[in-house]
């Protein structure tokens, strides 16, 4: 993770945002030496959300509290992807 003071980041904001968005680099904006905010790629957040959903699924499966799912044949039918 790259750290940069807010005062220095002002003049580099466009470049920092591009680095975070395209390079998946996390950039910490610091205020008086303390991290005040993070610039992260939306893809990183999406990956974290996916990991949370999967962890929740695993937890519910282990607890035996999963709701019944929809059979794959029914999903295909609803989406118009029936095999011919």
């Amino acid at each position: 993770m790259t750290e940069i003071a807010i005062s220095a980041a002002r003049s580099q904001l466009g470049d920092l945002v591009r680095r975070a968005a395209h390079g998946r680099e996390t950039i910490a904006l610091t205020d008086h030496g303390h991290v005040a905010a993070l610039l992260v790629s939306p893809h990183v957040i999406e990956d974290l959300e996916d990991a949370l959903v999967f962890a929740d699924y695993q937890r519910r499966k282990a607890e035996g509290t999963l709701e019944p799912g929809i059979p794959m044949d029914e999903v295909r039918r609803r989406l118009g992807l029936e095999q011919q």
Side-chain angles (χ1 to χ4, degrees):
M1 176 167 50
T2 302
E3 291 188 13
I4 185 166
I6 293 171
S7 57
R10 283 188 183 105
S11 64
Q12 304 173 48
L13 187 58
D15 179 54
L16 294 172
V17 169
R18 282 186 287 282
R19 284 170 50 189
H22 302 294
R24 289 187 172 222
E25 179 180 356
T26 299
I27 299 171
L29 302 177
T30 61
D31 188 22
H32 300 289
H34 300 283
V35 175
L38 298 173
L39 290 175
V40 296
S41 167
H43 299 292
V44 170
I45 301 300
E46 291 167 359
D47 291 346
L48 288 172
E49 289 172 342
D50 289 346
L52 285 172
V53 168
F54 184 68
D56 183 56
Y57 165 80
Q58 288 181 314
R59 178 190 56 82
R60 290 184 290 128
K61 184 177 178 183
E63 293 172 347
T65 59
L66 280 177
E67 297 291 323
I70 301 171
M72 185 56 78
D73 291 339
E74 177 64 13
V75 171
R76 285 189 181 106
R77 187 189 66 73
R78 289 183 187 186
L79 293 174
L81 300 174
E82 293 183 38
Q83 292 181 340
Q84 299 181 16

